[in-house]
Each structure stands twice: as C-alpha cells, then as structure tokens.
C-alpha cells in the first residue's frame, strides 16, 4: 500500500473525511490543507483505517495499550527475577561462608588433635625409652650382684 492510499479506510471513515474537508474549505482553508486536516482528524478519532487485511483486528490504541501492559508485565517479571537471583546469590554466599567457617574449625580441631597426639606419642616414646633404660640398669645391677667380687 503506497503512501496516501485510502483503501484501508471504511466507507464511513471516507464520508467523515469528506464532511470534515467541506467544513474546513468553508472556513477558508485551501484544498490541500482541508484534505490533510480531514484525514488527520479521521486518523485521530479511529486510529487509522479500520478495513483490515487480516492483521488489523484491534484498533491502534488498543494495540498500544496492550503493548504498554505487556512491557509493564515484562519489567515487573524482570525485577522479580532480579530480586530472586539476588536472594539466591546472598543465600549461596552465606552457605559458602558457613561451610568455609566449618571447614576452618575442623582443620583447627584436627591440628590441635594432632599436636596432642604428637605430644602423647612423644611422651609414650620417651616413657618407653626410659623404661627400657631402667630395665637395662636393673638387669646390669642384678648381674653385678650375682657375680661375686674377687
């Protein structure tokens, strides 16, 4: 459809435009200005040609309103998604922090337990060594007592 083609307009819209055009001419406007004003007025009232080729079911105003509503819904949905993502991220970070803290506590406990174990093991080893030394001494003393001095 070329520019200026009026085939999409209904007969009623065409009659309205003709009536408005006559009125404008009576007020002293030129032919071109009157026609321009007439079609602009029809477009303003009805949102353009109403005769549809299958795609023009709703008026342009209704389409505009629904587009605005859809955009608002999308924006609300995006905000809700963002909020949920932020909450998830915060929860995940808190969980990570708690896990790290627990792991650190476990590591501290393990190292403390290892130190204690080392000390006790070292103590046991020294006790065993001391016990062995003492046993050797007593064995040596007993042996010395058994053999008479000459």
């Amino acid at each position: 459809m070329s520019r200026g083609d009026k085939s999409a307009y209904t007969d009623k819209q065409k009659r309205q435009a003709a009536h408005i055009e006559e009125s404008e001419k009576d007020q002293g406007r030129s032919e071109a200005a009157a026609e321009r004003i007439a079609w602009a007025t029809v477009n303003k009232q009805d949102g353009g040609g109403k005769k549809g080729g299958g795609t023009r079911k709703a008026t342009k105003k209704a389409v505009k309103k629904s587009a605005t509503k859809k955009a608002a819904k999308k924006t609300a949905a995006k905000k809700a998604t963002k909020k949920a993502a932020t909450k998830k991220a915060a929860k995940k970070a808190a969980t990570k922090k708690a896990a790290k803290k627990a792991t650190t506590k476990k590591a501290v406990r393990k190292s403390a337990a290892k130190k204690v174990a080392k000390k006790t093991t070292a103590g046991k080893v020294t006790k065993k060594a001391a016990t062995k030394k003492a046993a050797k001494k007593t064995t040596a003393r007993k042996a010395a007592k058994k053999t008479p001095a000459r």
Side-chain angles (χ1 to χ4, degrees), residues 91-112:
K91 200 172 188 180
K92 201 173 189 181
T95 309
K96 259 188 178 178
K97 203 173 188 180
K100 194 173 185 180
K101 203 173 188 180
T103 311
T104 309
K105 280 184 178 178
K106 279 184 183 177
V108 168
R109 284 186 199 141
K110 276 186 179 178
S111 64

Side-chain angles (χ1 to χ4, degrees), residues 31-65:
E31 176 88 22
E35 186 180 359
R36 181 182 52 78
I37 290 170
W39 286 108
T41 306
V42 170
N43 285 337
K44 178 83 173 183
Q45 288 173 347
D46 297 331
K50 285 189 174 178
K51 203 186 270 184
T55 58
R56 204 182 272 113
K57 288 186 180 178
T59 63
K60 289 183 180 180
K61 284 182 182 177
V63 171
K64 222 180 213 182
K65 280 184 181 178

Side-chain angles (χ1 to χ4, degrees), residues 79-95:
K79 282 182 181 177
T81 308
K82 235 182 198 179
K83 221 177 198 181
T86 308
K87 280 185 179 179
K88 266 189 181 178
K91 200 172 188 180
K92 201 173 189 181
T95 309

